[in-house]
Amino acid sequence: MPFLQLSGLTKRFGDVVAVEDFSLAVEKGEFVSLLGPSGCGKTTTLQMIAGFEQPTSGHIMLNGRHLEEVPARNRGLGIVFQTYALFPHMTVEENVAFGLEMRGIDKKERARKVAGALELVQLAHLAKRYPRAMSGGQRQRVALARALVIEPELLLLDEPLSNLDAKLREEMQLELRRIQQEAGVTTLLVTHDQNEAMALSDRVAVMHHGRLMQQETPFHVYENPKSSFISTFLGKTNSLTATLKTTNDEGSALVCNGMELAGPPAHLRPGPITVSLRPERIEIVEAGEAVVSGPVIERIFLGDQWLFRIETPIGPLLVVRRNRGQREPEHGETVHLAWTPHHLRLLPKEDEAA
Amino acid sequence: MTRRSRSRPWILSAPALLLFLVLLLVPLAMTFILSFHSFSFYGGITPTFSLENYIEVLSDGYFYEIFGRTFAIALATTLICAAIGLPQAYFLSRMHPFWRSVMLLVVLGPLLISVVVRTLGWAILLGNKGVINDALRDLGLITSPIRMMYTSGGIVLALVHVMVPFMILAIWAALQRTDPATESAAESLGARPWTIFRRIVLPQAMPGILSGSLIVFSLSASAFATPAILGGRRVKVVSTTVYDEFLNTLNWPLGAAIAMLLLVSVLAIMVGWNRLVERRFAGVFE
Amino acid sequence: MRHNGLFAKAFSVLFAVFMLAPLVVVIGVSFTPEGFLEFPPSGLSLRWFRAILDNPDFIEAAWVSLQLGVASATVSSIFAVPAALAIGRGRFPGRDALQAFFLSPLTVPTVVLGIAFLRFLSFLNANGTFVGLMLCHAIIIMPFILRLVLASVTGLDRSQEQAAVSLGASDWTVFRRVTLPAIMPGVIGGWVLAFITSFDELTVTVFIVSPTTTTLPVRLFSHITQTTDPLVASISTVAILFTVGLMFLVDRIYGLDRLLIGEGAR
């Protein structure tokens, strides 16, 4: 039996279905991310686990207990809110102590645990400060300490890093991972930021339109997306419309915009499909080895890498190249592109709506 | 949890709701009923049910004059407040922050001072031997005093003083919501200051002018202290007439009928105004 | 930042003169050594301020007003805060109607409210009692408190309360430890505005006072309608100074513009 088990979780608001038949299993100590665009139902799912929303149907089991009937205040979960939700009229210390106070823990023990939690988030020196006198990153740590000090069975993180600037966010990602591992707490993160989800979690569960699309390790989801939505949502990709002609154990034959291409073996019926090709898998080669050729129509320098858009017979292709300090193709220059067929991902064609 | 959270707002507002039902709705209903009772000087109030009080009010030119004067005063006050309030609110939004807070104190401060005290000030200013007449006489501009006490004009002047802060607040709130860059944009497109004011500022201030006018009009139509002190027995308005019926003549049923007519006409004007505004300016709001 | 031209400055100065003139005149008149109203006063004398002490009925009236203001603002707050919490968060059927009902004392002409309360209280034989007066004031000033508390409630971060719940706090603890401190500025602001409104109220009060519960505005009003002497000016001056003092206090604690304009002013 998994530590946290969500089964058939559904939430309707009137006619609107926010979450539909959502099932997920999380093992003890695991760090799982719920990833999806805004409005995909991930926050509603979190609110149901926390007890702030009542599921329309479905079950939530934590460590062998049913949570649905337990009021939010007795669920004993640690929650870090998007806005941090620190109590502005209490000091850092008082904020962190609040949950212990509610549990009737005596003063001495409380002080010891608060000190420990602040030590963990490296804020022991700011215990007497008020939240308004702190930076975003520090508030974030206070929120984390407040959630962890009650030694929750489950830690819920609701877009915890979205209010930080880019540089601080990267630092906090590492910090968050360290703290989570040190505390050894089972963690569920809700985020729309694919980088955050990939950097932090053991497993990523991608949500779209209230449904679970795929749940695997970040590497696996990135490498083998199950749908073209996931392939475009996680990282950059070239999505091509093509027709699958034949497929067998050796490989497959595709036609894309009138051009024949070789692909990997596919578990799809011949017919229209979507082909995903990651821009970093496309190489610039000599004319003789080219699969397709065309002129550079866009050229963007990103510091550590170059981004090209190249007009080819199968459509415009995005190509990413690591910046090694050497000459790169100029705007308008014709380049020759190639890739190995097993880097193509053949995905079922989706309706625009899905 | 779900069932509890559904009934919760009603549980929380139940005490206040009860207070309002007992102490607001019941008294108003009792007053409504009272307006159908009859009154005689010797017999007092008899709990009959007749329209005689309403017929008396609606068939007597004296009451038409009072109602007409009341609404004329309210209308004049509203127009003057809008005419002063719009430019003043606009200037306020362009002031240096220090002067703006000073000016806000000047605008808002009087709101917190009793209307009785403020009207006393106007009585001192407007009297035949008052400050204004004295000053004009000393300057040799007039020989005999201009009568300002016990005139509708005097009441309007003092009411403008009482009401103009509400107008400025409403317009200022509307201007606060606008993007100051819209004025710069108009200027960059070649508009002159007056055009900017007329074409850019005025339309955006319109919601404030409309809501401010409604507040000023309804408060002016039911104002009591100012017309009572500056108008006395000579220039009567609806509220002072009601006061006299209740506390001097003791004809409560007639007073209640007059009050009900005031209530109904003020509410009708408010509802009508809102309708008109919603239809005409639907695009300006939201 | 755009700047005002000469016309705008002149307009503003004239407007300020208009707004302050009646107050300046009242204060000026109160310092006259003469027995009649004169402005500017021919000399400076505290004669009419001393005269206040010889008129205990005014002092008593001021004392009644003070007690009435404190009691009605407090009672009204106790009713208004839960109602504001209910209305300020979440939608429920009847919410708009409920809010309109609680704000209705602002729409009904005050003279109508005055006779309605008179009718009701005399029916109960409670006319002129302090409790009756206090409850009527509580009704009239409720909209002021409700509006300010409502502004704080809608500005409240819901997740603060959720955080407290997730840490194990009961409903009452959440209210006492998280919600109330967060909306306190609104409650205090509303209380002060309600107090001032009650302290200054005339139109309703004039109908429902008895000789023992006469408030300062009613006492001043009945004095002014009979005669205007420097005594009313000196009493008014004291009232103005009291209000100005209160205003500065409020401005320090809450911000006067926020109090009168609403949360959006800052």
Short mmCIF file of all heavy atoms in Angstrom, two decimals, chain A residues 37 206-209 213-214 221-242 268 272-278 345-354:
data_model
loop_
_atom_site.label_atom_id
_atom_site.label_comp_id
_atom_site.label_asym_id
_atom_site.label_seq_id
_atom_site.Cartn_x
_atom_site.Cartn_y
_atom_site.Cartn_z
N PRO A 37 -0.31 23.48 -16.67
CA PRO A 37 -0.56 24.91 -16.89
C PRO A 37 -1.63 25.40 -15.92
O PRO A 37 -2.32 24.59 -15.30
CB PRO A 37 -1.07 24.97 -18.33
CG PRO A 37 -1.63 23.61 -18.60
CD PRO A 37 -0.85 22.65 -17.76
N VAL A 206 2.07 14.94 -14.72
CA VAL A 206 1.62 16.05 -15.56
C VAL A 206 0.10 16.04 -15.62
O VAL A 206 -0.52 15.00 -15.88
CB VAL A 206 2.20 15.93 -16.99
CG1 VAL A 206 1.80 17.13 -17.83
CG2 VAL A 206 3.71 15.80 -16.95
N MET A 207 -0.49 17.22 -15.34
CA MET A 207 -1.94 17.33 -15.37
C MET A 207 -2.37 18.26 -16.50
O MET A 207 -1.68 19.24 -16.79
CB MET A 207 -2.48 17.91 -14.05
CG MET A 207 -2.51 16.94 -12.92
SD MET A 207 -3.33 17.68 -11.49
CE MET A 207 -5.06 17.42 -11.87
N HIS A 208 -3.51 17.95 -17.09
CA HIS A 208 -4.05 18.82 -18.14
C HIS A 208 -5.56 18.64 -18.13
O HIS A 208 -6.05 17.52 -18.14
CB HIS A 208 -3.46 18.41 -19.50
CG HIS A 208 -3.69 19.43 -20.57
ND1 HIS A 208 -3.90 19.09 -21.87
CD2 HIS A 208 -3.75 20.76 -20.51
CE1 HIS A 208 -4.08 20.19 -22.59
NE2 HIS A 208 -3.99 21.22 -21.78
N HIS A 209 -6.28 19.77 -18.11
CA HIS A 209 -7.74 19.73 -18.08
C HIS A 209 -8.28 18.81 -16.99
O HIS A 209 -9.19 18.02 -17.24
CB HIS A 209 -8.29 19.30 -19.45
CG HIS A 209 -8.08 20.34 -20.51
ND1 HIS A 209 -8.56 21.61 -20.39
CD2 HIS A 209 -7.42 20.27 -21.68
CE1 HIS A 209 -8.21 22.30 -21.45
NE2 HIS A 209 -7.51 21.52 -22.26
N MET A 213 -2.03 13.09 -17.01
CA MET A 213 -1.60 12.71 -18.36
C MET A 213 -0.49 11.67 -18.31
O MET A 213 -0.45 10.76 -19.11
CB MET A 213 -1.12 13.93 -19.14
CG MET A 213 -2.08 15.10 -19.17
SD MET A 213 -3.65 14.72 -19.94
CE MET A 213 -3.15 14.69 -21.65
N GLN A 214 0.44 11.83 -17.40
CA GLN A 214 1.61 10.96 -17.36
C GLN A 214 2.30 11.13 -16.02
O GLN A 214 2.36 12.24 -15.50
CB GLN A 214 2.58 11.35 -18.49
CG GLN A 214 3.74 10.40 -18.64
CD GLN A 214 4.54 10.69 -19.91
OE1 GLN A 214 4.28 11.67 -20.62
NE2 GLN A 214 5.50 9.84 -20.21
N VAL A 221 9.77 11.41 -18.52
CA VAL A 221 8.69 12.21 -19.09
C VAL A 221 9.22 13.09 -20.21
O VAL A 221 8.61 13.25 -21.26
CB VAL A 221 8.01 13.09 -18.01
CG1 VAL A 221 6.92 13.97 -18.62
CG2 VAL A 221 7.40 12.22 -16.93
N TYR A 222 10.44 13.64 -19.97
CA TYR A 222 11.02 14.50 -20.99
C TYR A 222 11.38 13.70 -22.24
O TYR A 222 11.11 14.12 -23.36
CB TYR A 222 12.28 15.18 -20.42
CG TYR A 222 12.91 16.18 -21.35
CD1 TYR A 222 12.46 17.51 -21.39
CD2 TYR A 222 13.97 15.82 -22.19
CE1 TYR A 222 13.03 18.43 -22.24
CE2 TYR A 222 14.55 16.73 -23.05
CZ TYR A 222 14.08 18.03 -23.07
OH TYR A 222 14.65 18.95 -23.92
N GLU A 223 11.95 12.54 -22.02
CA GLU A 223 12.42 11.73 -23.15
C GLU A 223 11.28 11.05 -23.88
O GLU A 223 11.28 10.95 -25.11
CB GLU A 223 13.41 10.66 -22.66
CG GLU A 223 14.81 11.20 -22.45
CD GLU A 223 15.39 11.81 -23.72
OE1 GLU A 223 15.32 11.16 -24.78
OE2 GLU A 223 15.90 12.95 -23.64
N ASN A 224 10.31 10.55 -23.14
CA ASN A 224 9.24 9.78 -23.76
C ASN A 224 7.87 10.36 -23.41
O ASN A 224 7.08 9.72 -22.71
CB ASN A 224 9.30 8.31 -23.32
CG ASN A 224 10.58 7.67 -23.79
OD1 ASN A 224 10.87 7.63 -24.98
ND2 ASN A 224 11.38 7.20 -22.85
N PRO A 225 7.59 11.57 -23.85
CA PRO A 225 6.27 12.13 -23.56
C PRO A 225 5.20 11.29 -24.20
O PRO A 225 5.38 10.77 -25.29
CB PRO A 225 6.34 13.54 -24.17
CG PRO A 225 7.41 13.47 -25.19
CD PRO A 225 8.39 12.44 -24.72
N LYS A 226 4.08 11.14 -23.49
CA LYS A 226 3.01 10.29 -24.00
C LYS A 226 2.13 11.02 -24.99
O LYS A 226 1.34 10.40 -25.69
CB LYS A 226 2.15 9.78 -22.85
CG LYS A 226 2.69 8.53 -22.20
CD LYS A 226 1.63 7.98 -21.26
CE LYS A 226 2.14 6.77 -20.52
NZ LYS A 226 1.30 6.50 -19.34
N SER A 227 2.18 12.36 -24.96
CA SER A 227 1.29 13.09 -25.86
C SER A 227 2.02 14.34 -26.35
O SER A 227 3.03 14.74 -25.78
CB SER A 227 0.01 13.50 -25.14
OG SER A 227 0.31 14.49 -24.19
N SER A 228 1.48 14.92 -27.41
CA SER A 228 2.16 16.10 -27.93
C SER A 228 1.98 17.27 -26.97
O SER A 228 2.82 18.16 -26.90
CB SER A 228 1.64 16.45 -29.33
OG SER A 228 0.32 16.90 -29.26
N PHE A 229 0.90 17.26 -26.15
CA PHE A 229 0.78 18.31 -25.14
C PHE A 229 1.96 18.27 -24.19
O PHE A 229 2.61 19.28 -23.91
CB PHE A 229 -0.53 18.19 -24.34
CG PHE A 229 -0.50 18.97 -23.07
CD1 PHE A 229 -0.62 20.36 -23.11
CD2 PHE A 229 -0.27 18.35 -21.85
CE1 PHE A 229 -0.55 21.11 -21.95
CE2 PHE A 229 -0.19 19.10 -20.68
CZ PHE A 229 -0.33 20.47 -20.74
N ILE A 230 2.28 17.07 -23.69
CA ILE A 230 3.39 16.95 -22.74
C ILE A 230 4.71 17.32 -23.41
O ILE A 230 5.55 18.00 -22.83
CB ILE A 230 3.45 15.51 -22.16
CG1 ILE A 230 2.13 15.23 -21.41
CG2 ILE A 230 4.64 15.34 -21.24
CD1 ILE A 230 2.01 13.82 -20.92
N SER A 231 4.88 16.89 -24.66
CA SER A 231 6.15 17.19 -25.33
C SER A 231 6.34 18.69 -25.50
O SER A 231 7.45 19.19 -25.41
CB SER A 231 6.21 16.48 -26.68
OG SER A 231 5.34 17.12 -27.60
N THR A 232 5.26 19.46 -25.71
CA THR A 232 5.43 20.90 -25.85
C THR A 232 5.48 21.58 -24.49
O THR A 232 6.09 22.63 -24.34
CB THR A 232 4.28 21.52 -26.67
OG1 THR A 232 3.05 21.06 -26.14
CG2 THR A 232 4.38 21.15 -28.13
N PHE A 233 4.81 20.99 -23.47
CA PHE A 233 4.79 21.63 -22.18
C PHE A 233 6.12 21.46 -21.46
O PHE A 233 6.57 22.36 -20.75
CB PHE A 233 3.65 21.06 -21.33
CG PHE A 233 3.40 21.84 -20.08
CD1 PHE A 233 2.87 23.12 -20.15
CD2 PHE A 233 3.71 21.31 -18.85
CE1 PHE A 233 2.66 23.85 -19.01
CE2 PHE A 233 3.49 22.05 -17.70
CZ PHE A 233 2.97 23.32 -17.78
N LEU A 234 6.76 20.30 -21.61
CA LEU A 234 8.06 20.06 -20.99
C LEU A 234 9.17 20.37 -21.98
O LEU A 234 9.43 19.58 -22.88
CB LEU A 234 8.17 18.61 -20.51
CG LEU A 234 7.99 18.42 -19.02
CD1 LEU A 234 6.54 18.52 -18.67
CD2 LEU A 234 8.60 17.12 -18.55
N GLY A 235 9.80 21.47 -21.82
CA GLY A 235 10.91 21.83 -22.70
C GLY A 235 10.42 22.30 -24.06
O GLY A 235 9.23 22.33 -24.35
N LYS A 236 11.38 22.68 -24.92
CA LYS A 236 11.03 23.12 -26.27
C LYS A 236 11.02 21.91 -27.18
O LYS A 236 11.78 20.95 -26.98
CB LYS A 236 12.08 24.10 -26.79
CG LYS A 236 12.17 25.40 -26.03
CD LYS A 236 13.12 26.35 -26.76
CE LYS A 236 13.43 27.57 -25.93
NZ LYS A 236 14.37 27.26 -24.81
N THR A 237 10.19 21.96 -28.18
CA THR A 237 10.22 20.86 -29.15
C THR A 237 9.71 21.35 -30.51
O THR A 237 9.05 22.38 -30.60
CB THR A 237 9.38 19.66 -28.66
OG1 THR A 237 9.73 18.51 -29.43
CG2 THR A 237 7.90 19.92 -28.81
N ASN A 238 10.05 20.60 -31.53
CA ASN A 238 9.47 20.83 -32.85
C ASN A 238 8.35 19.83 -33.03
O ASN A 238 8.57 18.62 -32.98
CB ASN A 238 10.52 20.59 -33.94
CG ASN A 238 11.61 21.65 -33.91
OD1 ASN A 238 11.34 22.82 -34.15
ND2 ASN A 238 12.83 21.25 -33.57
N SER A 239 7.12 20.34 -33.17
CA SER A 239 5.98 19.46 -33.38
C SER A 239 5.62 19.47 -34.86
O SER A 239 5.29 20.52 -35.39
CB SER A 239 4.77 19.92 -32.57
OG SER A 239 4.83 19.38 -31.29
N LEU A 240 5.72 18.30 -35.49
CA LEU A 240 5.45 18.23 -36.93
C LEU A 240 4.24 17.34 -37.17
O LEU A 240 4.04 16.35 -36.47
CB LEU A 240 6.65 17.63 -37.67
CG LEU A 240 8.00 18.32 -37.38
CD1 LEU A 240 9.14 17.46 -37.91
CD2 LEU A 240 8.03 19.71 -38.01
N THR A 241 3.44 17.74 -38.12
CA THR A 241 2.33 16.88 -38.51
C THR A 241 2.83 15.95 -39.62
O THR A 241 3.48 16.41 -40.56
CB THR A 241 1.17 17.73 -39.03
OG1 THR A 241 0.94 18.77 -38.09
CG2 THR A 241 -0.09 16.91 -39.18
N ALA A 242 2.55 14.65 -39.47
CA ALA A 242 3.07 13.70 -40.46
C ALA A 242 2.07 12.55 -40.63
O ALA A 242 1.08 12.47 -39.92
CB ALA A 242 4.42 13.16 -39.99
N LEU A 268 1.69 2.64 -33.07
CA LEU A 268 0.56 3.43 -33.57
C LEU A 268 0.09 2.81 -34.86
O LEU A 268 0.83 2.14 -35.56
CB LEU A 268 1.00 4.87 -33.83
CG LEU A 268 1.39 5.72 -32.62
CD1 LEU A 268 2.02 7.02 -33.10
CD2 LEU A 268 0.21 5.98 -31.72
N PRO A 272 -2.51 9.76 -39.76
CA PRO A 272 -1.93 11.03 -39.33
C PRO A 272 -1.43 10.95 -37.89
O PRO A 272 -2.13 10.42 -37.02
CB PRO A 272 -3.11 12.01 -39.48
CG PRO A 272 -4.33 11.19 -39.65
CD PRO A 272 -3.93 9.81 -40.06
N ILE A 273 -0.25 11.49 -37.64
CA ILE A 273 0.33 11.49 -36.29
C ILE A 273 1.06 12.81 -36.07
O ILE A 273 1.15 13.64 -36.97
CB ILE A 273 1.36 10.34 -36.10
CG1 ILE A 273 2.47 10.45 -37.17
CG2 ILE A 273 0.70 8.98 -36.14
CD1 ILE A 273 3.69 9.63 -36.83
N THR A 274 1.52 13.00 -34.84
CA THR A 274 2.37 14.16 -34.52
C THR A 274 3.77 13.65 -34.25
O THR A 274 3.94 12.64 -33.56
CB THR A 274 1.84 14.90 -33.28
OG1 THR A 274 0.50 15.30 -33.55
CG2 THR A 274 2.68 16.12 -32.97
N VAL A 275 4.76 14.34 -34.80
CA VAL A 275 6.14 13.95 -34.57
C VAL A 275 6.80 15.03 -33.73
O VAL A 275 6.69 16.21 -34.03
CB VAL A 275 6.90 13.79 -35.91
CG1 VAL A 275 8.38 13.50 -35.66
CG2 VAL A 275 6.27 12.70 -36.74
N SER A 276 7.46 14.61 -32.66
CA SER A 276 8.15 15.58 -31.81
C SER A 276 9.65 15.37 -31.96
O SER A 276 10.14 14.24 -31.87
CB SER A 276 7.72 15.38 -30.36
OG SER A 276 8.62 16.01 -29.49
N LEU A 277 10.36 16.46 -32.18
CA LEU A 277 11.83 16.38 -32.34
C LEU A 277 12.44 17.51 -31.51
O LEU A 277 12.22 18.69 -31.77
CB LEU A 277 12.19 16.54 -33.83
CG LEU A 277 13.67 16.59 -34.18
CD1 LEU A 277 14.41 15.35 -33.67
CD2 LEU A 277 13.85 16.73 -35.69
N ARG A 278 13.19 17.14 -30.47
CA ARG A 278 13.79 18.12 -29.58
C ARG A 278 14.85 18.93 -30.32
O ARG A 278 15.68 18.36 -31.05
CB ARG A 278 14.45 17.42 -28.38
CG ARG A 278 13.48 16.67 -27.48
CD ARG A 278 12.75 17.60 -26.55
NE ARG A 278 11.90 16.86 -25.63
CZ ARG A 278 10.88 17.42 -24.98
NH1 ARG A 278 10.62 18.72 -25.17
NH2 ARG A 278 10.15 16.72 -24.15
N ARG A 345 10.02 11.32 -31.82
CA ARG A 345 8.98 10.71 -30.98
C ARG A 345 7.67 10.76 -31.76
O ARG A 345 7.23 11.85 -32.16
CB ARG A 345 8.81 11.49 -29.67
CG ARG A 345 10.00 11.42 -28.76
CD ARG A 345 10.13 10.02 -28.11
NE ARG A 345 11.41 9.89 -27.43
CZ ARG A 345 12.51 9.35 -27.97
NH1 ARG A 345 12.46 8.88 -29.21
NH2 ARG A 345 13.62 9.27 -27.30
N LEU A 346 7.11 9.59 -31.99
CA LEU A 346 5.87 9.53 -32.75
C LEU A 346 4.71 9.48 -31.76
O LEU A 346 4.66 8.61 -30.89
CB LEU A 346 5.85 8.29 -33.63
CG LEU A 346 7.11 8.09 -34.49
CD1 LEU A 346 6.89 6.95 -35.50
CD2 LEU A 346 7.49 9.37 -35.23
N LEU A 347 3.80 10.47 -31.86
CA LEU A 347 2.73 10.60 -30.87
C LEU A 347 1.39 10.61 -31.58
O LEU A 347 1.29 11.07 -32.72
CB LEU A 347 2.91 11.91 -30.09
CG LEU A 347 4.24 12.05 -29.37
CD1 LEU A 347 4.47 13.48 -28.96
CD2 LEU A 347 4.29 11.11 -28.18
N PRO A 348 0.37 10.10 -30.89
CA PRO A 348 -0.95 10.13 -31.53
C PRO A 348 -1.36 11.56 -31.82
O PRO A 348 -1.07 12.47 -31.04
CB PRO A 348 -1.87 9.48 -30.49
CG PRO A 348 -1.12 9.53 -29.20
CD PRO A 348 0.34 9.52 -29.55
N LYS A 349 -2.03 11.76 -32.91
CA LYS A 349 -2.48 13.10 -33.27
C LYS A 349 -3.58 13.50 -32.30
O LYS A 349 -4.50 12.75 -32.02
CB LYS A 349 -3.00 13.11 -34.70
CG LYS A 349 -3.35 14.50 -35.17
CD LYS A 349 -3.42 14.55 -36.68
CE LYS A 349 -3.86 15.91 -37.15
NZ LYS A 349 -2.97 16.98 -36.70
N GLU A 350 -3.47 14.70 -31.77
CA GLU A 350 -4.47 15.14 -30.80
C GLU A 350 -5.36 16.19 -31.40
O GLU A 350 -4.94 16.96 -32.25
CB GLU A 350 -3.77 15.74 -29.58
CG GLU A 350 -3.34 14.69 -28.59
CD GLU A 350 -2.56 15.30 -27.46
OE1 GLU A 350 -3.08 16.23 -26.83
OE2 GLU A 350 -1.43 14.87 -27.23
N ASP A 351 -6.59 16.23 -30.91
CA ASP A 351 -7.46 17.35 -31.31
C ASP A 351 -6.90 18.61 -30.68
O ASP A 351 -6.28 18.57 -29.63
CB ASP A 351 -8.89 17.11 -30.78
CG ASP A 351 -9.47 15.88 -31.43
OD1 ASP A 351 -9.06 15.58 -32.57
OD2 ASP A 351 -10.30 15.23 -30.79
N GLU A 352 -7.15 19.72 -31.32
CA GLU A 352 -6.65 21.00 -30.81
C GLU A 352 -7.12 21.24 -29.38
O GLU A 352 -6.42 21.80 -28.57
CB GLU A 352 -7.12 22.14 -31.72
CG GLU A 352 -6.26 22.31 -32.96
CD GLU A 352 -4.78 22.42 -32.64
OE1 GLU A 352 -4.40 23.33 -31.88
OE2 GLU A 352 -3.98 21.59 -33.12
N ALA A 353 -8.32 20.78 -29.10
CA ALA A 353 -8.91 21.06 -27.79
C ALA A 353 -8.21 20.32 -26.67
O ALA A 353 -8.12 20.81 -25.55
CB ALA A 353 -10.39 20.70 -27.80
N ALA A 354 -7.68 19.13 -26.98
CA ALA A 354 -7.15 18.29 -25.92
C ALA A 354 -5.81 18.79 -25.38
O ALA A 354 -5.15 19.57 -26.01
CB ALA A 354 -6.99 16.86 -26.42
#
